[in-house]
Amino acid sequence: MEYQPSTSSNINESIILKEVMNTHGPVTKDFKANYILHFVKKILFLIMVGGKTIYEDEEESDDNEPMSNVPDEMEIKDTEHSYQIKRLSFEIAQKCSSKNAADDPHSIVMYFLKMLCAYPWEAKLLLMLAASSINFGEFNIQARKGSKTPLLTVASSHIRQSISFFIKSLLRLTDTIVELAQSSSYNSSPVIPLASYWIFTSIITFASYFRCLPNTLDSEWLTDTESKLSSLTVTLKDIFSYCGPMLEMKREDDSYNALWCAFSDENLVPSTNLDALKLIFNVKDVDKEKPLFDPEGEMVGLRLFENKKLILLITSQLDVDYSIMLASLFYEGPIAQLWIPILNDPTLWDTAAMENHYRIFANGIKVHAVKDVEKYIASGFARFVEKKFFPTFQIGSGPIFVLLDHQGRMLHCIATHMIVKRYIDLLSKGVGGDFMKRDSKIPLFKNVLKEMTLSVRHLVFDIDEKISDFANEMDSKLNEWLEDIESDIQNSLESIMYKAIMEEDPWKEKTWCTKFLIGGDILLAQAKEWVNANEHIFFIGGKDIKWVKTFASKVLNPQLTIKMAYVGSNYKVASTIRQDRICETLFDKVKEAQFTFWMNLQSVFFSRIKFLDETYGDEESDEIVKGLKFLLSYEAEGVAVNGWALLCKGNKIVLYDLGDKMLAVMNEYTKWKETAIVKGFDQAFKDHHHEMFGSRCTPQHHQFALEYPCNSDKVPENIKCHQCCHDMQKFVTFKCHHEYLCKEYSDRLT
């Protein structure tokens, strides 16, 4: 990207560049004095223009916030720098003492560039600015002659404004060039010597300008020079606008490299997690800045999380679904969660709707939210996340959880749909639940004490007071004991949850059976009772309520003792079944329970595929994968079948197929009911199904789909249809449902 010369100048900048570069010799001077720029700003801040500091106007930016952190007393301690600045201040004062200096600044600029040839570019600029600001400060004091009125107050308002804009543009560009010049990636850009030339020119012109101010406030010369300053302001702004994108890229690179270094496996353990959090949230002072909202909507700082384990919930924009709500429940309470949306298009975040949706979700799922995503999320964080956690996280993929330990180390990254599986696994083992909630035992305890002392009450006149004090003391101790126990429970839960997330699934012990399918007694508690009783069970699904009613009428008749439950993902069908009492639904009235059941099956499916891939297993012959493929394709979003049924006998899965085939078998029950008496209902049903349809592929069938998220560990190139045995077509689907989810979740909260 080449720098385009300023339109406000007629000077050939290619010639300037060549001349300037000729003055720049080998760098032999060591320069580590960035505090000089703060020193310069402090002087200029003290010089009031019309009762206002230079930066008190509508164009002030965050670039100048660091001034608030500059110590009240600052001095230049380096002897060589101090000497050089003093020398430069004399030279500037001498060469700019006449009005003609502003007419031909080029030769003076080249003179100073040659004088500073051994210094790096940032040093040239800072030394010149320091010398000039000292001159300006001293001159201002002398010109005021004891008066507290600022020198420029007597000038017209447009001149004061012009000077303010000029100084601000000069400092802002200097800030930028110094930062670029100190970067090994950008210090060879030709814009640095060109910008240095124009900064030098501006310093010389302004120095000449204010040297003549006391005698020329109303002269034609003042207006002419003010016009030159305005022209220089345009030039400086033009260069700054070119450097802006370059500076953003440089800062993003710095941010990315700092994050990569901080979270590298080879990096030494940081002393505190605040060091890591400051990098992520672009915070300099953890005690003053409050970049987050807590789940109650209060602004909080990073100090709140010092030396604590944390969970980072990272999403692509606001691309979330119910999995994020379920996954957040996993850590609700023991460990704080921080939600960071990755913005691939920050312009969209300006809308009030996006901010409102973000806050609604964050409050609803009890996580901390970022107050200003653009400001407080480090510029290189998105790039870092995409590289560090690929393919688990990608723009447009599902959310992920990143575990940070108390020292800020990234321990593990996991997709939210896999956390749902871990959550259900833990609940099925009896982990979790609320700690005991007790009513006060004081009244009961007092009554016991009164009964014990009934025979001696007449001997102790203040017995009631003693009983009350003792009871209250015991109650206080009991409360302390309960708090300690609750703290121990929370610590244990925290450890258990961390371990559950990071450990591998115990697939060697799993088989394709009914208990495996229903996920213990958490989601389908009543089904577990049926399994333990070795009942015949039909689990059914699909989107067609007519098929459900017809199939139920065939199965649930007095001649048969068969259990049946709808476990499909269609909430409307489930609601009708409950209302009309067609059969059991097992999910009661909770819509999220249906989603959880199917999300768990999907997570189990992906986990199993990963296990087979790592152990060189065969997906085509694996009963678990085959069964889950059938069920997930039956309930695929947008192409769910009219009906399907799965027959179990206790913990044994006997058969599963499309609803029309299963109904056809039941329609011919009279043909095989005698066999059912001999072999049992399950085996007779399976045999007759085989007679009717065999194991052959069906050339024509309902549309099926099997969805793989883009951040799953393995997406196969080809999958054979389990009905027709042909290769299925492969599509890439993009979904967006912000408004739908936000409206639905808002309704739940109100």
Side-chain angles (χ1 to χ4, degrees):
M1 184 167 66
E2 287 191 10
Y3 169 67
Q4 299 298 319
S6 168
T7 55
S8 63
S9 172
N10 295 322
I11 301 175
N12 188 324
E13 294 195 349
S14 61
I15 297 177
I16 291 178
L17 177 61
K18 185 176 180 180
E19 289 187 31
V20 172
M21 291 304 296
N22 287 337
T23 67
H24 187 63
V27 174
T28 59
K29 300 290 187 180
D30 185 31
F31 187 81
K32 297 179 180 178
N34 287 346
Y35 60 84
I36 288 180
L37 188 56
H38 294 305
F39 172 80
V40 170
K41 289 181 179 180
K42 183 166 183 173
I43 293 177
L44 296 179
F45 277 7
L46 293 174
I47 299 173
M48 309 296 284
V49 181
K52 298 196 324 181
T53 56
I54 291 172
Y55 284 86
E56 287 182 359
D57 59 49
E58 69 282 357
E59 293 191 16
E60 170 58 356
S61 74
D62 292 336
D63 293 339
N64 304 300
E65 288 183 0
M67 271 304 299
S68 61
N69 299 323
V70 178
D72 291 334
E73 294 185 4
M74 181 174 294
E75 57 179 344
I76 301 178
K77 298 178 180 179
D78 190 289
T79 304
E80 181 178 353
H81 292 161
S82 214
Y83 166 77
Q84 189 63 268
I85 289 171
K86 197 62 180 175
R87 178 189 174 192
L88 285 171
S89 67
F90 289 141
E91 294 270 6
I92 291 172
Q94 179 184 5
K95 292 189 176 296
C96 299
S97 58
S98 67
K99 296 181 181 180
N100 296 329
D103 295 330
D104 182 26
H106 179 76
S107 58
I108 301 177
V109 167
M110 299 309 294
Y111 171 80
F112 283 111
L113 283 171
K114 291 175 182 177
M115 181 186 295
L116 299 173
C117 64
Y119 285 92
W121 291 107
E122 65 271 23
K124 301 178 198 287
L125 298 177
L126 295 178
L127 292 173
M128 279 292 287
L129 264 180
S132 178
S133 62
I134 289 175
N135 284 357
F136 189 25
E138 292 176 348
F139 177 73
N140 182 62
I141 294 173
Q142 295 172 3
R144 284 160 51 181
K145 298 178 181 178
S147 171
K148 295 183 179 180
T149 303
L151 174 63
L152 295 179
T153 302
V154 294
S156 62
S157 61
H158 78 278
I159 290 179
R160 293 201 306 271
Q161 186 180 50
S162 177
I163 292 175
S164 175
F165 286 166
F166 170 79
I167 294 177
K168 181 169 66 174
S169 299
L170 177 63
L171 292 178
R172 188 170 292 169
L173 180 59
T174 303
D175 251 331
T176 301
I177 298 302
V178 167
E179 187 170 343
L180 291 176
Q182 291 176 330
S183 168
S184 59
S185 301
Y186 296 89
N187 58 9
S188 60
S189 172
V191 74
I192 292 177
L194 278 173
S196 300
Y197 173 85
W198 287 110
I199 290 172
F200 271 52
T201 301
S202 301
I203 290 172
I204 298 304
T205 303
F206 186 61
S208 174
Y209 178 58
F210 72 73
R211 292 292 299 182
C212 302
L213 276 176
N215 303 319
T216 55
L217 281 175
D218 298 317
S219 68
E220 180 181 345
W221 175 90
L222 181 64
T223 303
D224 179 62
T225 307
E226 185 268 330
S227 176
K228 292 178 181 177
L229 289 183
S230 297
S231 179
L232 281 172
T233 302
V234 172
T235 300
L236 295 175
K237 286 185 174 181
D238 182 49
I239 299 174
F240 178 79
S241 65
Y242 169 82
C243 293
M246 187 186 300
L247 185 62
E248 288 181 10
M249 288 190 291
K250 182 261 180 189
R251 289 176 176 174
E252 181 181 327
D253 288 343
D254 290 347
S255 171
Y256 171 79
N257 292 330
L259 286 165
W260 197 261
C261 179
F263 294 111
S264 170
D265 295 336
E266 292 78 26
N267 189 38
L268 295 176
V269 177
S271 57
T272 170
N273 63 343
L274 291 182
D275 295 335
L277 294 177
K278 285 166 65 177
L279 288 174
I280 295 174
F281 293 101
N282 206 23
V283 166
K284 294 181 175 63
D285 191 330
V286 295
D287 295 313
K288 291 184 178 180
E289 297 180 71
K290 295 183 177 181
L292 303 172
F293 288 112
D294 69 12
E296 284 70 44
E298 298 293 327
M299 288 189 297
V300 295
L302 299 180
R303 182 70 70 182
L304 178 68
F305 311 108
E306 186 174 13
N307 296 325
K308 294 180 181 179
K309 295 178 180 178
L310 292 173
I311 302 294
L312 301 183
L313 168 57
I314 302 176
T315 63
S316 176
Q317 298 278 6
L318 288 186
D319 296 336
V320 298
D321 54 27
Y322 277 123
S323 68
I324 194 177
M325 302 174 195
L326 295 171
S328 65
L329 292 175
F330 186 82
Y331 284 110
E332 187 175 357
I335 308 173
Q337 303 174 55
L338 283 64
W339 182 5
I340 304 177
I342 299 297
L343 306 182
N344 60 324
D345 189 356
T347 58
L348 295 178
W349 198 260
D350 294 336
T351 63
M354 286 289 282
E355 182 69 23
N356 185 51
H357 292 172
Y358 176 50
R359 294 290 301 280
I360 288 174
F361 276 127
N363 292 341
I365 60 179
K366 305 302 181 185
V367 299
H368 291 74
V370 184
K371 183 170 65 175
D372 186 334
V373 176
E374 286 192 78
K375 177 180 179 181
Y376 283 113
I377 298 301
S379 56
F381 186 69
R383 180 174 152 204
F384 168 77
V385 168
E386 288 183 63
K387 182 172 181 180
K388 179 77 172 178
F389 302 120
F390 181 86
T392 307
F393 180 84
Q394 304 171 49
I395 293 298
S397 70
I400 64 170
F401 276 64
V402 177
L403 282 64
L404 301 183
D405 70 4
H406 65 283
Q407 293 178 311
R409 293 176 298 183
M410 290 185 173
L411 300 181
H412 195 60
C413 166
I414 186 170
T416 51
H417 65 265
M418 293 306 299
I419 289 187
V420 173
K421 179 183 181 303
R422 302 288 201 279
Y423 182 43
I424 294 172
D425 288 346
L426 277 184
L427 291 179
S428 66
K429 297 175 183 177
V431 177
D434 292 331
F435 183 50
M436 66 187 80
K437 302 298 181 184
R438 70 178 189 92
D439 298 325
S440 176
K441 304 300 181 184
I442 293 296
L444 178 61
F445 190 46
K446 285 182 177 179
N447 290 335
V448 172
L449 292 176
K450 285 179 180 179
E451 290 180 9
M452 292 174 63
T453 58
L454 188 61
S455 62
V456 295
R457 291 182 64 82
H458 65 284
L459 300 176
V460 184
F461 71 92
D462 60 345
I463 188 65
D464 288 334
E465 182 179 348
K466 291 180 181 294
I467 288 175
S468 179
D469 290 344
F470 181 62
N472 289 332
E473 182 181 350
M474 294 304 296
D475 188 64
S476 176
K477 289 184 177 180
L478 181 58
N479 282 332
E480 291 179 4
W481 182 83
L482 289 174
E483 288 176 1
D484 289 341
I485 294 299
E486 188 164 11
S487 176
D488 291 341
I489 290 173
Q490 293 298 322
N491 291 334
S492 295
L493 283 175
E494 181 180 305
S495 299
I496 291 171
M497 291 174 178
Y498 256 67
K499 183 179 178 182
I501 288 296
M502 299 182 66
E503 67 185 7
E504 296 295 327
D505 293 321
W507 274 115
K508 294 181 180 179
E509 305 170 6
K510 301 293 184 181
T511 57
W512 179 238
C513 60
T514 312
K515 288 183 179 179
F516 171 82
L517 178 65
I518 63 178
D521 59 349
I522 301 304
L523 298 176
L524 305 178
Q526 190 173 1
K528 183 181 179 182
E529 297 178 7
W530 297 344
V531 172
N532 291 337
N534 203 33
E535 300 276 8
H536 289 99
I537 312 165
F538 271 112
F539 293 111
I540 64 172
K543 65 181 180 181
D544 187 358
I545 188 63
K546 292 182 180 179
W547 176 86
V548 172
K549 290 181 178 180
T550 304
F551 190 72
S553 68
K554 299 293 182 179
V555 173
L556 302 177
N557 67 69
Q559 299 179 29
L560 301 171
T561 56
I562 299 175
K563 305 298 183 182
M564 189 170 82
Y566 179 84
V567 295
S569 60
N570 192 300
Y571 187 68
K572 185 177 180 180
V573 171
S575 299
T576 303
I577 291 173
R578 279 194 297 270
Q579 182 178 341
D580 297 345
R581 298 182 178 179
I582 299 171
C583 67
E584 297 291 341
T585 59
L586 302 182
F587 295 121
D588 196 16
K589 297 181 180 180
V590 183
K591 185 175 182 179
E592 285 78 0
Q594 282 179 276
F595 177 83
T596 304
F597 175 76
W598 288 99
M599 173 61 71
N600 181 53
L601 288 185
Q602 188 182 51
S603 302
V604 170
F605 175 59
F606 297 137
S607 177
R608 181 66 177 181
I609 290 176
K610 179 182 179 183
F611 168 76
L612 292 174
D613 186 51
E614 292 175 349
T615 57
Y616 305 101
D618 181 18
E619 286 185 30
E620 297 298 324
S621 61
D622 186 77
E623 288 297 323
I624 294 178
V625 171
K626 286 167 63 177
L628 291 175
K629 278 184 179 180
F630 271 83
L631 296 181
L632 292 171
S633 63
Y634 289 156
E635 293 288 336
E637 185 178 355
V639 293
V641 299
N642 291 331
W644 60 268
L646 180 144
L647 174 62
C648 303
K649 177 67 165 70
N651 196 36
K652 178 184 177 182
I653 295 177
V654 179
L655 180 70
Y656 44 86
D657 208 339
L658 288 171
D660 55 354
K661 293 183 181 181
M662 301 295 270
L663 180 58
V665 176
M666 286 304 303
N667 284 336
E668 297 188 0
Y669 174 66
T670 55
K671 294 182 179 180
W672 53 273
K673 67 178 181 179
E674 296 298 330
T675 307
I677 296 173
V678 178
K679 294 185 176 181
F681 178 86
D682 54 314
Q683 189 61 48
F685 187 99
K686 183 177 182 180
D687 290 345
H688 197 73
H689 178 277
H690 186 75
E691 288 179 16
M692 294 182 68
F693 306 106
S695 58
R696 64 186 183 278
C697 295
T698 305
Q700 294 182 346
H701 59 81
H702 185 278
Q703 182 179 2
F704 289 109
L706 193 60
E707 294 185 349
Y708 284 76
C710 64
N711 61 343
S712 61
D713 291 284
K714 180 182 178 183
V715 179
E717 289 298 322
N718 296 295
I719 296 180
K720 290 191 178 296
C721 174
H722 49 74
Q723 289 291 324
C724 67
C725 301
H726 287 94
D727 286 340
M728 299 177 73
Q729 290 178 286
K730 188 175 181 178
F731 293 89
V732 177
T733 303
F734 295 89
K735 294 191 297 185
C736 185
H737 46 200
H738 299 152
E739 191 63 37
Y740 168 76
L741 278 175
C742 286
K743 181 181 184 303
E744 187 165 307
Y745 204 69
S746 297
D747 293 341
R748 290 178 59 206
L749 297 177
T750 55

